[in-house]
Amino acid sequence: MKRTNFGPILLALAIFGILLFMPSRYLLPLISDQKVEHAADALNPAMFQGTALQKKMLEDKKYLPMYGSSELSRLDVYHPSNYFKANPDGFTPFLIGRGGTQSLVQFMNLATTIDELKNKKIVFILSPQWFTAQGLDDTHFSPNYSSLQAYELVFNKELKPAMKKQAAKRLLKFKIVRKDKLLTTMLEGITHDDMQHTWKARAVTPFAYTYRNILERKDIFQAVTERNIPKNNVDPHLKHLSWDQLYQHAEQTGRNESRSNPFGIVDKYYDSKIAAKLPELKGYKATESYDKSPEYGDLQMILDLLKQTHTKALFVSIPVNGPWYDYAEFPKERRQVYYNKIRNFVEKDGFQVADLSAHEYDKYFMKDTIHVGWKGWVYIDEALKSFHQAN
């Protein structure tokens, strides 16, 4: 009777086990430099909901990570990703974020790369509309949530216990997190100090650890096989212009592209989203305020993490569209309360703020009601260049 040879099966299982449980950093060399370069302005959610490409990017000094939200996708010719292709200055902006990636989502991003962030430079764009009374909701959190990053947080030994506990409490407020019973058990083991939750978390830790590793390997596989096509919207006419000339050029572009309305909003957006319902939008922000919000607590976690890693960060404070917010009856005095608060909030922890709030009435600074564009990007380009060149 012929004996079954289990040798190949056992070898395959051994290799699988090694690949599954070996530290993921040993697999990062599988990701080519070209993959990272193509991801810099691809704005692929798989990249910023993962960890591998971000860690690989932070190993290369040529990249300047830019964390933000929906403004990052406004890739006109003045956008840093395109401007610095026309005018190379020793760094490449690497975009991390899309609509809804507010402070908690970006904290998760930063926490997963805590080792790689040490002594690096990053840019973080702050949007006023994040700081509503409700703060980040399920609608905006769920599409940007990363199961991998949540499991990474559970096993992150670099995060201080108080910070990890605060983050775990925040995560448990969202439905998409609570649907994962394994993760919920692990997070409750962090947030509760009693033995019942502690032992339940310990009991499922091997399963959570294995699942985290599976998610890591999936992320690395996606990074290796990703086929991002580089985006180019470069205007060669911007090459070697002085800053004054560049501001004039951007102003002319804004003038040409926003002729249909008095708010400086790009025609295409105004005509399709606003014009037909303009009367009913009068005063729709009359009761809003950006003074009190759970967002401040989420932002504080980011500041604390960056202090821990000695990261040099430039926070860019974006204004709102002044004429539009006047029409919406969100008064300038109330807006100024937010601008002052956010600047003081960040500066108290020793971080630099590029405060652009004085430009909310500048024509062609904003591209729509809340997103920076044209001249606004030029101001940010100049701030980025100064920040990168500074010691």
PDB file of all heavy atoms in Angstrom, residues 19 28 33 59 119 140 181 208 265 290 299 325 349 365-366 371 387:
ATOM      1  N   LEU A  19       5.310  33.220   6.754  1.00  0.00           N
ATOM      2  CA  LEU A  19       4.862  34.453   6.107  1.00  0.00           C
ATOM      3  C   LEU A  19       3.781  35.156   6.918  1.00  0.00           C
ATOM      4  O   LEU A  19       3.712  36.388   6.933  1.00  0.00           O
ATOM      5  CB  LEU A  19       4.337  34.138   4.708  1.00  0.00           C
ATOM      6  CG  LEU A  19       5.390  33.717   3.675  1.00  0.00           C
ATOM      7  CD1 LEU A  19       4.719  33.306   2.374  1.00  0.00           C
ATOM      8  CD2 LEU A  19       6.388  34.837   3.428  1.00  0.00           C
ATOM      9  N   LEU A  28       8.150  44.649   3.468  1.00  0.00           N
ATOM     10  CA  LEU A  28       8.045  45.947   2.808  1.00  0.00           C
ATOM     11  C   LEU A  28       8.946  46.090   1.589  1.00  0.00           C
ATOM     12  O   LEU A  28       8.570  46.771   0.624  1.00  0.00           O
ATOM     13  CB  LEU A  28       8.329  47.078   3.802  1.00  0.00           C
ATOM     14  CG  LEU A  28       7.281  47.321   4.892  1.00  0.00           C
ATOM     15  CD1 LEU A  28       7.666  48.523   5.735  1.00  0.00           C
ATOM     16  CD2 LEU A  28       5.895  47.521   4.292  1.00  0.00           C
ATOM     17  N   ASP A  33       9.886  51.189  -5.266  1.00  0.00           N
ATOM     18  CA  ASP A  33       9.882  52.648  -5.141  1.00  0.00           C
ATOM     19  C   ASP A  33       8.910  53.279  -6.138  1.00  0.00           C
ATOM     20  O   ASP A  33       8.317  54.316  -5.860  1.00  0.00           O
ATOM     21  CB  ASP A  33      11.292  53.198  -5.363  1.00  0.00           C
ATOM     22  CG  ASP A  33      12.260  52.783  -4.271  1.00  0.00           C
ATOM     23  OD1 ASP A  33      11.793  52.440  -3.169  1.00  0.00           O
ATOM     24  OD2 ASP A  33      13.478  52.793  -4.513  1.00  0.00           O
ATOM     25  N   GLU A  59      10.010  56.037   4.717  1.00  0.00           N
ATOM     26  CA  GLU A  59      11.433  55.681   4.707  1.00  0.00           C
ATOM     27  C   GLU A  59      12.230  56.564   3.756  1.00  0.00           C
ATOM     28  O   GLU A  59      13.458  56.636   3.863  1.00  0.00           O
ATOM     29  CB  GLU A  59      11.605  54.216   4.282  1.00  0.00           C
ATOM     30  CG  GLU A  59      11.080  53.198   5.286  1.00  0.00           C
ATOM     31  CD  GLU A  59      11.200  51.771   4.780  1.00  0.00           C
ATOM     32  OE1 GLU A  59      11.590  51.587   3.598  1.00  0.00           O
ATOM     33  OE2 GLU A  59      10.923  50.834   5.556  1.00  0.00           O
ATOM     34  N   ASN A 119      10.889  62.165  14.125  1.00  0.00           N
ATOM     35  CA  ASN A 119      11.752  63.218  13.609  1.00  0.00           C
ATOM     36  C   ASN A 119      11.504  63.566  12.138  1.00  0.00           C
ATOM     37  O   ASN A 119      12.347  64.195  11.501  1.00  0.00           O
ATOM     38  CB  ASN A 119      13.228  62.860  13.801  1.00  0.00           C
ATOM     39  CG  ASN A 119      13.576  62.629  15.261  1.00  0.00           C
ATOM     40  OD1 ASN A 119      13.298  63.477  16.113  1.00  0.00           O
ATOM     41  ND2 ASN A 119      14.152  61.476  15.562  1.00  0.00           N
ATOM     42  N   HIS A 140     -19.643  59.769   7.658  1.00  0.00           N
ATOM     43  CA  HIS A 140     -18.330  60.148   7.132  1.00  0.00           C
ATOM     44  C   HIS A 140     -17.216  59.225   7.626  1.00  0.00           C
ATOM     45  O   HIS A 140     -16.198  59.059   6.950  1.00  0.00           O
ATOM     46  CB  HIS A 140     -18.008  61.595   7.529  1.00  0.00           C
ATOM     47  CG  HIS A 140     -18.885  62.604   6.859  1.00  0.00           C
ATOM     48  ND1 HIS A 140     -20.070  63.025   7.403  1.00  0.00           N
ATOM     49  CD2 HIS A 140     -18.748  63.258   5.669  1.00  0.00           C
ATOM     50  CE1 HIS A 140     -20.637  63.911   6.588  1.00  0.00           C
ATOM     51  NE2 HIS A 140     -19.857  64.061   5.538  1.00  0.00           N
ATOM     52  N   LYS A 181     -17.270  41.981  16.450  1.00  0.00           N
ATOM     53  CA  LYS A 181     -17.322  41.551  17.845  1.00  0.00           C
ATOM     54  C   LYS A 181     -15.941  41.221  18.395  1.00  0.00           C
ATOM     55  O   LYS A 181     -15.658  41.442  19.579  1.00  0.00           O
ATOM     56  CB  LYS A 181     -18.247  40.342  17.986  1.00  0.00           C
ATOM     57  CG  LYS A 181     -19.692  40.614  17.556  1.00  0.00           C
ATOM     58  CD  LYS A 181     -20.275  41.806  18.303  1.00  0.00           C
ATOM     59  CE  LYS A 181     -21.709  42.086  17.862  1.00  0.00           C
ATOM     60  NZ  LYS A 181     -22.265  43.308  18.521  1.00  0.00           N
ATOM     61  N   ALA A 208      -7.385  37.618  17.391  1.00  0.00           N
ATOM     62  CA  ALA A 208      -7.253  38.993  16.913  1.00  0.00           C
ATOM     63  C   ALA A 208      -5.879  39.221  16.289  1.00  0.00           C
ATOM     64  O   ALA A 208      -5.747  39.888  15.255  1.00  0.00           O
ATOM     65  CB  ALA A 208      -7.483  39.973  18.070  1.00  0.00           C
ATOM     66  N   ILE A 265     -17.165  81.208  -6.599  1.00  0.00           N
ATOM     67  CA  ILE A 265     -17.279  79.757  -6.687  1.00  0.00           C
ATOM     68  C   ILE A 265     -17.123  79.335  -8.140  1.00  0.00           C
ATOM     69  O   ILE A 265     -17.687  79.960  -9.048  1.00  0.00           O
ATOM     70  CB  ILE A 265     -18.638  79.286  -6.132  1.00  0.00           C
ATOM     71  CG1 ILE A 265     -18.737  79.627  -4.636  1.00  0.00           C
ATOM     72  CG2 ILE A 265     -18.845  77.806  -6.361  1.00  0.00           C
ATOM     73  CD1 ILE A 265     -20.102  79.375  -4.035  1.00  0.00           C
ATOM     74  N   TYR A 290     -18.368  76.610  15.341  1.00  0.00           N
ATOM     75  CA  TYR A 290     -17.230  75.679  15.324  1.00  0.00           C
ATOM     76  C   TYR A 290     -16.390  75.804  16.594  1.00  0.00           C
ATOM     77  O   TYR A 290     -15.220  75.456  16.618  1.00  0.00           O
ATOM     78  CB  TYR A 290     -16.338  75.952  14.101  1.00  0.00           C
ATOM     79  CG  TYR A 290     -17.033  75.755  12.764  1.00  0.00           C
ATOM     80  CD1 TYR A 290     -16.645  76.500  11.650  1.00  0.00           C
ATOM     81  CD2 TYR A 290     -18.058  74.836  12.613  1.00  0.00           C
ATOM     82  CE1 TYR A 290     -17.264  76.321  10.420  1.00  0.00           C
ATOM     83  CE2 TYR A 290     -18.686  74.651  11.393  1.00  0.00           C
ATOM     84  CZ  TYR A 290     -18.277  75.406  10.293  1.00  0.00           C
ATOM     85  OH  TYR A 290     -18.904  75.230   9.074  1.00  0.00           O
ATOM     86  N   LEU A 299      -8.273  65.881  17.620  1.00  0.00           N
ATOM     87  CA  LEU A 299      -7.087  66.610  17.197  1.00  0.00           C
ATOM     88  C   LEU A 299      -6.019  66.604  18.289  1.00  0.00           C
ATOM     89  O   LEU A 299      -4.825  66.503  18.001  1.00  0.00           O
ATOM     90  CB  LEU A 299      -7.459  68.051  16.826  1.00  0.00           C
ATOM     91  CG  LEU A 299      -6.299  68.965  16.403  1.00  0.00           C
ATOM     92  CD1 LEU A 299      -5.534  68.381  15.215  1.00  0.00           C
ATOM     93  CD2 LEU A 299      -6.823  70.368  16.082  1.00  0.00           C
ATOM     94  N   TYR A 325     -20.313  82.478   3.413  1.00  0.00           N
ATOM     95  CA  TYR A 325     -20.715  82.296   4.800  1.00  0.00           C
ATOM     96  C   TYR A 325     -21.508  83.508   5.305  1.00  0.00           C
ATOM     97  O   TYR A 325     -22.373  83.369   6.178  1.00  0.00           O
ATOM     98  CB  TYR A 325     -19.499  82.015   5.679  1.00  0.00           C
ATOM     99  CG  TYR A 325     -19.250  80.525   5.872  1.00  0.00           C
ATOM    100  CD1 TYR A 325     -19.017  79.699   4.777  1.00  0.00           C
ATOM    101  CD2 TYR A 325     -19.284  79.933   7.126  1.00  0.00           C
ATOM    102  CE1 TYR A 325     -18.814  78.337   4.932  1.00  0.00           C
ATOM    103  CE2 TYR A 325     -19.086  78.568   7.304  1.00  0.00           C
ATOM    104  CZ  TYR A 325     -18.854  77.771   6.189  1.00  0.00           C
ATOM    105  OH  TYR A 325     -18.667  76.412   6.346  1.00  0.00           O
ATOM    106  N   ASP A 349       0.919  73.467  21.865  1.00  0.00           N
ATOM    107  CA  ASP A 349       1.738  72.261  21.925  1.00  0.00           C
ATOM    108  C   ASP A 349       3.020  72.397  21.115  1.00  0.00           C
ATOM    109  O   ASP A 349       3.720  71.404  20.874  1.00  0.00           O
ATOM    110  CB  ASP A 349       0.938  71.053  21.434  1.00  0.00           C
ATOM    111  CG  ASP A 349      -0.052  70.558  22.480  1.00  0.00           C
ATOM    112  OD1 ASP A 349       0.333  70.484  23.661  1.00  0.00           O
ATOM    113  OD2 ASP A 349      -1.209  70.252  22.136  1.00  0.00           O
ATOM    114  N   PHE A 365      -9.437  82.866  -3.689  1.00  0.00           N
ATOM    115  CA  PHE A 365      -8.677  82.070  -2.718  1.00  0.00           C
ATOM    116  C   PHE A 365      -9.353  80.713  -2.524  1.00  0.00           C
ATOM    117  O   PHE A 365      -8.687  79.681  -2.458  1.00  0.00           O
ATOM    118  CB  PHE A 365      -8.599  82.810  -1.377  1.00  0.00           C
ATOM    119  CG  PHE A 365      -7.674  82.169  -0.381  1.00  0.00           C
ATOM    120  CD1 PHE A 365      -6.360  82.606  -0.256  1.00  0.00           C
ATOM    121  CD2 PHE A 365      -8.098  81.123   0.435  1.00  0.00           C
ATOM    122  CE1 PHE A 365      -5.491  82.004   0.653  1.00  0.00           C
ATOM    123  CE2 PHE A 365      -7.241  80.525   1.341  1.00  0.00           C
ATOM    124  CZ  PHE A 365      -5.936  80.964   1.451  1.00  0.00           C
ATOM    125  N   MET A 366     -10.679  80.734  -2.419  1.00  0.00           N
ATOM    126  CA  MET A 366     -11.462  79.509  -2.299  1.00  0.00           C
ATOM    127  C   MET A 366     -12.060  79.147  -3.653  1.00  0.00           C
ATOM    128  O   MET A 366     -12.311  80.024  -4.490  1.00  0.00           O
ATOM    129  CB  MET A 366     -12.572  79.684  -1.272  1.00  0.00           C
ATOM    130  CG  MET A 366     -12.104  80.167   0.088  1.00  0.00           C
ATOM    131  SD  MET A 366     -10.995  79.012   0.921  1.00  0.00           S
ATOM    132  CE  MET A 366     -12.153  77.702   1.354  1.00  0.00           C
ATOM    133  N   HIS A 371     -13.767  74.727  -0.028  1.00  0.00           N
ATOM    134  CA  HIS A 371     -12.500  74.151  -0.483  1.00  0.00           C
ATOM    135  C   HIS A 371     -11.553  75.203  -1.062  1.00  0.00           C
ATOM    136  O   HIS A 371     -11.956  76.039  -1.868  1.00  0.00           O
ATOM    137  CB  HIS A 371     -12.745  73.068  -1.538  1.00  0.00           C
ATOM    138  CG  HIS A 371     -13.454  71.877  -1.001  1.00  0.00           C
ATOM    139  ND1 HIS A 371     -14.730  71.527  -1.394  1.00  0.00           N
ATOM    140  CD2 HIS A 371     -13.082  70.949  -0.089  1.00  0.00           C
ATOM    141  CE1 HIS A 371     -15.105  70.438  -0.750  1.00  0.00           C
ATOM    142  NE2 HIS A 371     -14.129  70.069   0.063  1.00  0.00           N
ATOM    143  N   PHE A 387       8.514  75.759   4.903  1.00  0.00           N
ATOM    144  CA  PHE A 387       8.543  74.740   5.951  1.00  0.00           C
ATOM    145  C   PHE A 387       9.586  73.663   5.623  1.00  0.00           C
ATOM    146  O   PHE A 387      10.338  73.241   6.498  1.00  0.00           O
ATOM    147  CB  PHE A 387       7.159  74.118   6.082  1.00  0.00           C
ATOM    148  CG  PHE A 387       7.079  72.952   7.039  1.00  0.00           C
ATOM    149  CD1 PHE A 387       7.303  73.140   8.395  1.00  0.00           C
ATOM    150  CD2 PHE A 387       6.745  71.674   6.591  1.00  0.00           C
ATOM    151  CE1 PHE A 387       7.220  72.069   9.286  1.00  0.00           C
ATOM    152  CE2 PHE A 387       6.655  70.611   7.460  1.00  0.00           C
ATOM    153  CZ  PHE A 387       6.895  70.816   8.803  1.00  0.00           C
TER     154      PHE A 387
END
